[in-house]
Amino acid sequence: MVINLEWWQWLLPAVIAAVVVGVYMGWRVMAIWTLGVYFSGITAQFMGPKLEKLINKFLSVFAQFFAIATDKDESTITSPQIDIASPWEPFATAILFVSLVFFSWWIARKLTARGELGLIGHLLGGVFGGFAAVLGLSQALNYWADFVSRSGSNPSTGAGLTVPQISVGVAPLPDANPLATMAGPIMGLFILLIIVYTVWRVFRTAA
């Protein structure tokens, strides 16, 4: 048996999982998290090129504090220097992005609770979960495309898995981000849904 999977087919489970979580959590938590994912991407994009300098500055300050704590001259403690090779900078930025995404989830859970949602609130949470997943995957594919561009090769070409009587072929990740143009429309639709849902709740309460 031969199974051929395109790149989007093995990213699809992440979207489905986010939708399921969104349906369970409801629109409040997922709305805050969707905004968190969006701004995590902006923050990571801004800090990515400066990441090597920031890490080395942090290590330098830590070494100086260690010297002071041990009553030694600051010049006697040499801090290690991190050198991130150009092709691997996108992966370092991706780690920062994932950390910010988890942090934004923690903030979303702390700022609001599920509460009384109703069917529409749960369904809207699923939609927002899908939005957050697509935004996150789009950002991840940006880092991948940047890595391919810098390294000059796509290491996912020819990826696949063979087990007895079953062969699963996985299409390589694209060299360019096919989701690059989706962030703007998704955020526009996100804001529109928030407005429509808020107006509906106001009229429902008034009635």
Side-chain angles (χ1 to χ4, degrees):
M1 180 172 63
V2 178
I3 302 174
N4 292 313
L5 298 177
E6 294 297 323
W7 64 269
W8 62 269
Q9 290 171 321
W10 54 282
L11 295 180
L12 189 60
V15 178
I16 294 174
V19 170
V20 171
V21 171
V23 170
Y24 174 74
M25 297 303 300
W27 75 275
R28 295 188 187 96
V29 174
M30 301 311 292
I32 296 175
W33 189 49
T34 300
L35 289 174
V37 172
Y38 180 72
F39 285 107
S40 293
I42 294 176
T43 303
Q45 184 178 359
F46 174 76
M47 295 184 63
K50 305 175 178 65
L51 203 55
E52 180 180 310
K53 178 185 276 188
L54 289 173
I55 293 174
N56 286 329
K57 284 290 185 182
F58 173 79
L59 292 175
S60 176
V61 171
F62 179 79
Q64 290 176 5
F65 272 115
F66 181 78
I68 294 173
T70 54
D71 198 24
K72 295 181 179 179
D73 187 88
E74 294 180 16
S75 60
T76 61
I77 304 295
T78 303
S79 63
Q81 295 294 302
I82 304 298
D83 183 19
I84 303 176
S86 177
W88 295 102
E89 183 184 294
F91 277 92
T93 307
I95 293 173
L96 173 63
F97 171 69
V98 171
S99 301
L100 291 173
V101 167
F102 279 107
F103 180 63
S104 65
W105 173 260
W106 180 80
I107 291 177
R109 294 290 286 117
K110 289 294 182 180
L111 287 180
T112 186
R114 294 175 59 213
E116 296 295 330
L117 297 168
L119 178 61
I120 299 298
H122 283 288
L123 292 177
L124 201 57
V127 174
F128 291 163
F131 285 174
V134 173
L135 289 172
L137 290 173
S138 175
Q139 198 67 33
L141 288 172
N142 268 338
Y143 301 137
W144 176 259
D146 191 13
F147 170 76
V148 171
S149 174
R150 295 182 186 215
S151 64
S153 63
N154 188 338
S156 69
T157 302
L161 173 67
T162 302
V163 296
Q165 298 182 343
I166 299 177
S167 176
V168 180
V170 179
L173 287 170
D175 294 347
N177 181 7
L179 304 178
T181 59
M182 296 188 67
I186 281 180
M187 291 308 297
L189 186 56
F190 169 79
I191 294 172
L192 177 62
L193 287 174
I194 287 287
I195 294 173
V196 170
Y197 182 69
T198 303
V199 171
W200 177 78
R201 287 291 296 266
V202 170
F203 275 102
R204 183 186 177 192
T205 304

